[in-house]
Amino acid sequence: MLKAKILFVGPCESGKTVLANFLTESSDITEYNPTQGVRFESCWPALMKDSHGVVIIFNADIPSHLKEIEMWHSCFVQQQLLQDSQCLLIAHHKPGSGGDKGNLSLAAPLNKLKLVHSNLEEEPEEIRMEFIKYLKSIVSSVSESRDREEMSIIT
């Protein structure tokens, strides 16, 4: 069985746990409970080890998140030497926020990443389909990498 390690990262209260639970069909969360285990930067190297992809989630309605995601990208994508194709940017819109999909002015290199808007109230299947496309590309990349590694051992 082929396994891929994909990290969900982003600012506090951006919707990481809600999206992860929705995409894995784990549970419905009705109230906000901060996910404590990974708030400490000292844990990040262990989390990043052997990761194949990174999903950066932010609340598009909080202006400071646009600046914060630059740091998340730097730490989890650039420092790990991941390709842009291994990163997915999700502008999550919380229930009742209106989900304005207006143009977000993202700084380079964020403006080169695939950006998906998420609104679980209005278009839940859209985010699921976008994530499945992203997941398929990651699995394909992992499979190709594994095949190259096996060929190098054989030859």
Side-chain angles (χ1 to χ4, degrees), residues 82-101:
L82 296 179
Q83 303 297 312
D84 287 348
S85 62
Q86 293 173 274
C87 185
L88 179 64
L89 202 53
I90 299 180
H92 183 61
H93 300 275
K94 292 189 175 182
S97 68
D100 179 24
K101 292 185 181 180

Side-chain angles (χ1 to χ4, degrees), residues 77-124:
V77 179
Q78 290 177 322
Q79 289 180 21
Q80 298 306 304
L81 304 177
L82 296 179
Q83 303 297 312
D84 287 348
S85 62
Q86 293 173 274
C87 185
L88 179 64
L89 202 53
I90 299 180
H92 183 61
H93 300 275
K94 292 189 175 182
S97 68
D100 179 24
K101 292 185 181 180
N103 288 337
L104 291 173
S105 58
L106 299 172
L110 296 173
N111 59 1
K112 296 180 189 139
L113 301 176
K114 169 83 173 165
L115 172 65
V116 178
H117 287 267
S118 162
N119 187 325
L120 299 181
E121 270 189 335
E122 295 176 16
E123 300 169 322

